[in-house]
């Protein structure tokens, strides 16, 4: 009997970042190269950001389609494993696989699935190593998007989430790409730092995720720039929009990390309550709704765990 091949959507989290999009593109490509009967379609769970646009244009890779509803679809999740970060109705999807590098969240399945989680700096690192494991050659395009994702998620290796495996994969991919990855990385982060055309909402929601701290619901976002002084004049406007987002989404608090990549520090902006937990988590006194933290670059490793501890 003639049977149309099923589409399997490979998709990252909402408010897609470069790793989420690159992981979807490179993992779908890997699966398609392995001769499975299904067709693997890379997808994004929202509009791609300026940095990702820069990456896809640089390597001539098409922008993946956007999906907003997982209901009834065959799905592979990359770069997240929390229902709150996934495309809508993920519980009504046929979830086939998860490939991720975050803490284990609340995704559940009725039957066993392939679930690969590894504490490395980016999902692209895991996928890049899988190409070797399955002996699938890496094209220049795929090398480019994976290399970009690793450099982006590890903030050019400066993030405490960065591991030797991330560095080794970038070295390998840079050879295929044929570019100096440090120079390229700075150009990529500069594209991300261009906030002149961004509204306060774009800044707040550009890389934004929902979290639950022992029943306290929060939205936590991050914007990375080469130099914080570009954001300083817009701080008031950003705080006002954070408060709007907090009310619209019925959250207890919204926290946005304004991260200075070169100085390796973040200005942590906070609106809502409980402010005492925020001050406890970051061992400081809030001034003008913010605490400046040297050495803090990673939401996953340096913002979420102290908040979790403060809410215990
Ligand atoms: Mn990631």
């Amino acid at each position: 009997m003639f049977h149309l091949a099923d589409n399997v959507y490979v998709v990252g989290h909402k408010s897609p970042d470069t790793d989420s999009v690159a992981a979807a593109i490179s993992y779908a490509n890997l699966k398609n190269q392995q001769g499975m009967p299904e067709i693997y379609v890379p997808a994004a769970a929202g509009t791609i950001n300026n940095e990702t646009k820069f990456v896809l244009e640089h390597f001539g890779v098409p922008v993946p389609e956007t999906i907003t509803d997982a209901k009834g679809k065959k799905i592979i999740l990359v770069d997240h494993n929390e229902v709150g970060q996934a495309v809508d109705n993920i519980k009504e999807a046929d979830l086939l696989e998860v490939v991720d590098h975050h803490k284990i969240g609340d995704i559940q399945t009725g039957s066993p699935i392939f679930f690969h989680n590894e504490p490395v700096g980016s999902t692209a690192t895991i996928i890049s190593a899988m190409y070797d494991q399955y002996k699938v050659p890496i094209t220049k395009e795929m090398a480019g998007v994976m290399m970009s994702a690793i450099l982006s998620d590890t903030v050019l290796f400066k993030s405490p989430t960065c591991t030797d495996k991330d560095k080794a994969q970038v070295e390998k991919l840079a050879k295929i790409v044929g570019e100096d990855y440090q120079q390229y990385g700075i150009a990529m982060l500069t594209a991300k730092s261009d906030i002149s055309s961004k509204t306060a909402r774009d800044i707040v929601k550009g890389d934004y995720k929902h979290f639950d701290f022992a029943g306290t619901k929060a939205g936590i976002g991050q914007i990375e720039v080469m130099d914080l002084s570009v954001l300083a004049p817009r701080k008031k406007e950003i705080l006002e929009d954070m408060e709007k987002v907090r009310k619209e989404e019925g959250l207890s608090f919204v926290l946005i990390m304004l991260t200075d990549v070169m100085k390796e520090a973040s200005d942590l902006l906070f609106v809502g309550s409980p402010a005492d937990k925020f001050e406890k988590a970051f061992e400081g006194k809030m001034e003008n709704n913010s605490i400046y933290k040297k050495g803090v670059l990673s939401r996953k490793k340096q913002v979420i765990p102290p908040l979790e501890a403060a809410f215990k």
Side-chain angles (χ1 to χ4, degrees):
M1 252 200 60
F2 182 71
H3 175 73
L4 271 177
D6 276 328
N7 275 354
V8 178
Y9 291 91
V10 184
V11 65
H13 53 77
K14 284 180 175 168
S15 298
D17 61 3
T18 297
D19 190 34
S20 234
V21 177
I25 292 170
S26 57
Y27 198 57
N29 178 266
L30 174 63
K31 301 294 278 188
N32 286 328
Q33 299 304 311
Q34 287 179 292
M36 317 278 185
E38 296 85 5
I39 294 163
Y40 293 83
V41 181
T47 314
I48 63 166
N49 67 28
N50 280 349
E51 182 193 69
T52 310
K53 236 176 251 163
F54 171 90
V55 169
L56 298 182
E57 273 169 22
H58 188 90
F59 293 106
V61 174
V63 175
E65 66 179 90
T66 302
I67 60 168
T68 54
D69 195 329
K71 192 178 174 180
K73 292 188 175 81
K74 290 187 190 302
I75 297 275
I76 293 175
L77 295 184
V78 290
D79 201 35
H80 69 305
N81 72 101
E82 301 213 25
V83 173
Q85 296 168 5
V87 69
D88 290 346
N89 297 318
I90 190 66
K91 287 178 180 166
E92 292 161 75
D94 183 6
L95 183 61
L96 303 181
E97 297 186 25
V98 175
V99 181
D100 190 18
H101 69 128
H102 292 87
K103 68 179 169 125
I104 305 304
D106 56 359
I107 287 283
Q108 294 191 330
T109 59
S111 46
I113 64 162
F114 179 91
F115 189 108
H116 186 133
N117 200 87
E118 214 179 313
V120 291
S122 81
T123 305
T125 301
I126 301 168
I127 295 167
S128 174
M130 281 179 174
Y131 272 84
D132 299 343
Q133 187 190 336
Y134 297 120
K135 300 192 166 49
V136 173
I138 303 177
T139 63
K140 195 172 170 177
E141 288 76 19
M142 291 304 122
V145 295
M146 288 190 282
M147 180 182 85
S148 304
I150 303 170
L151 292 170
S152 170
D153 257 27
T154 64
V155 196
L156 312 181
F157 301 160
K158 286 177 183 176
S159 169
T161 57
C162 187
T163 66
D164 288 343
K165 184 167 177 173
D166 300 304
K167 293 177 189 168
Q169 292 303 320
V170 166
E171 300 278 354
K172 172 190 93 178
L173 296 169
K175 279 189 198 122
I176 300 168
V177 170
E179 281 188 63
D180 178 320
Y181 66 81
Q182 257 150 355
Q183 256 180 5
Y184 168 76
I186 287 176
M188 182 184 72
L189 287 184
T190 304
K192 180 189 249 178
S193 294
D194 179 17
I195 57 148
S196 52
S197 64
K198 283 189 180 168
T199 63
R201 183 59 54 101
D202 295 336
I203 292 168
V204 172
K205 296 296 265 310
D207 174 9
Y208 176 85
K209 294 175 181 176
H210 285 150
F211 294 89
D212 188 313
F213 300 100
T216 300
K217 298 209 180 312
I220 304 185
Q222 180 174 29
I223 177 158
E224 288 146 341
V225 291
M226 300 296 275
D227 180 356
L228 257 191
S229 63
V230 300
L231 278 167
R234 302 190 62 180
K235 202 162 150 178
K236 187 169 167 273
E237 175 200 351
I238 294 167
L239 281 166
E240 283 168 2
D241 197 64
M242 286 166 65
E243 180 59 17
K244 275 191 207 145
V245 167
R246 189 185 73 77
K247 286 193 181 134
E248 283 166 18
E249 299 181 349
L251 303 170
S252 294
F253 68 88
V254 170
L255 191 166
I256 302 293
M257 306 169 64
L258 308 181
T259 299
D260 189 315
V261 172
M262 296 324 272
K263 290 202 181 76
E264 302 187 31
S266 291
D267 199 9
L268 307 177
L269 306 191
F270 180 94
V271 298
S273 65
D276 60 320
K277 302 271 194 218
F278 171 66
E279 292 185 330
K280 187 181 163 200
F282 300 105
E283 300 163 325
K285 202 96 206 92
M286 194 159 75
E287 263 177 72
N288 302 320
N289 289 79
S290 85
I291 296 178
Y292 186 82
K293 290 295 282 183
K294 282 198 179 123
V296 170
L297 291 169
S298 166
R299 171 170 52 196
K300 188 195 306 184
K301 269 212 162 156
Q302 297 169 298
V303 170
I304 304 305
L307 282 169
E308 277 176 339
F311 278 89
K312 264 201 185 121

